Amino acid sequence: MKIQYLGHSSFRLISQMGNSVVTDPYNGRLTGYDMPHVNCDIVTVSHHHDDHNYIEALGGQPAVLDTQCEGTADDICIKSYSTFHDDKKGALRGTNLVFTFLIDGINIAHLGDIGLYDQSIVDALKGCNVLLVPVGGHYTIDAVTAKKYVDAINPQLVIPMHYAVPQGTIDIGMVDDFVDLFPMGTVVRADTDTIETDYIMDDDKQKVVVMDQYQD
């Protein structure tokens, strides 16, 4: 399986069979930089804000998953969990969906724009292989709460998302606020937009990988 970072909270997950799912496509008018144009078979939407639901950016006429669901499409198993976009039980920003994917034997969790520490989400995701976690704060959990999720879930691979970049226009924190919380040697600046799952299977040590944005 390949993991491509499309920017913001958007990833493309590609199975060995070539099936793919894109998470949270975004509108560049909101983020300050454009979403790469890619094709996919499935798109998941954690919530309906323009920096997470810009389905028009995608090719391939994908099936859209934007509600709590569970099912299998070819070789990709998907399940979602409802939580909140803020720490006021949705009073400020509404609900948020956490999506999990089982692809080529790898369990991946995408936390969307989760806005609080939710023990039920920890219990559901504990021991997953890959955690895609927002770290920028303001509209989501901040770096400290993201680290709390990592410690509780204990994935092999952690990929931060939803953080400030030089070309971005959203008022959120930098990725360094998150990665600085980890011991030396844990963090990898991948210098690539795509990694394969054998990247996480070569040893038992947890890795935090900061990825480049995929360019189409």
Side-chain angles (χ1 to χ4, degrees):
M1 184 194 70
K2 293 180 180 180
I3 301 173
Q4 291 179 334
Y5 184 43
L6 305 181
H8 202 44
S9 294
S10 190
F11 295 83
R12 182 164 60 165
L13 312 175
I14 307 171
S15 75
Q16 291 179 355
M17 288 178 58
N19 297 308
S20 62
V21 55
V22 166
T23 66
D24 283 13
Y26 56 90
N27 191 326
R29 290 195 298 273
L30 226 64
T31 60
Y33 54 96
D34 289 335
M35 169 88 184
H37 182 79
V38 297
N39 294 335
C40 64
D41 302 294
I42 303 165
V43 56
T44 61
V45 175
S46 64
H47 62 292
H48 282 283
H49 291 167
D50 283 350
D51 57 331
H52 294 265
N53 73 345
Y54 192 48
I55 298 163
E56 294 85 351
L58 301 171
Q61 298 183 324
V64 179
L65 302 181
D66 59 357
T67 59
Q68 195 165 353
C69 62
E70 182 174 6
T72 300
D74 292 324
D75 58 343
I76 300 176
C77 299
I78 301 175
K79 186 174 182 178
S80 60
Y81 303 85
S82 184
T83 184
F84 296 110
H85 194 336
D86 55 63
D87 60 0
K88 307 295 183 186
K89 295 187 176 181
L92 300 178
R93 298 187 184 92
T95 57
N96 172 74
L97 290 171
V98 170
F99 279 89
T100 62
F101 310 93
L102 178 61
I103 305 174
D104 299 336
I106 303 295
N107 285 292
I108 305 171
H110 183 282
L111 297 190
D113 259 15
I114 198 165
L116 77 169
Y117 187 80
D118 186 334
Q119 186 61 46
S120 68
I121 295 297
V122 170
D123 293 341
L125 305 186
K126 193 167 291 185
C128 72
N129 301 110
V130 182
L131 183 66
L132 312 176
V133 57
V135 303
H138 196 170
Y139 302 105
T140 69
I141 56 173
D142 59 13
V144 172
T145 306
K147 177 62 161 57
K148 187 176 178 182
Y149 268 112
V150 172
D151 291 344
I153 295 171
N154 194 30
Q156 293 168 275
L157 175 62
V158 180
I159 303 178
M161 62 183 188
H162 206 278
Y163 52 81
V165 294
Q167 69 272 34
T169 55
I170 298 180
D171 181 22
I172 48 181
M174 304 290 289
V175 71
D176 286 351
D177 296 336
F178 176 68
V179 298
D180 287 349
L181 300 174
F182 289 84
M184 186 176 298
T186 302
V187 179
V188 178
R189 304 278 179 168
D191 196 29
T192 182
D193 55 40
T194 304
I195 60 176
E196 300 204 28
T197 51
D198 57 4
Y199 191 88
I200 68 171
M201 306 304 286
D202 58 357
D203 61 49
D204 294 328
K205 295 180 181 178
Q206 186 179 76
K207 295 185 182 75
V208 179
V209 178
V210 180
M211 299 179 66
D212 290 342
Q213 181 188 2
Y214 177 80
Q215 302 295 321
D216 57 352

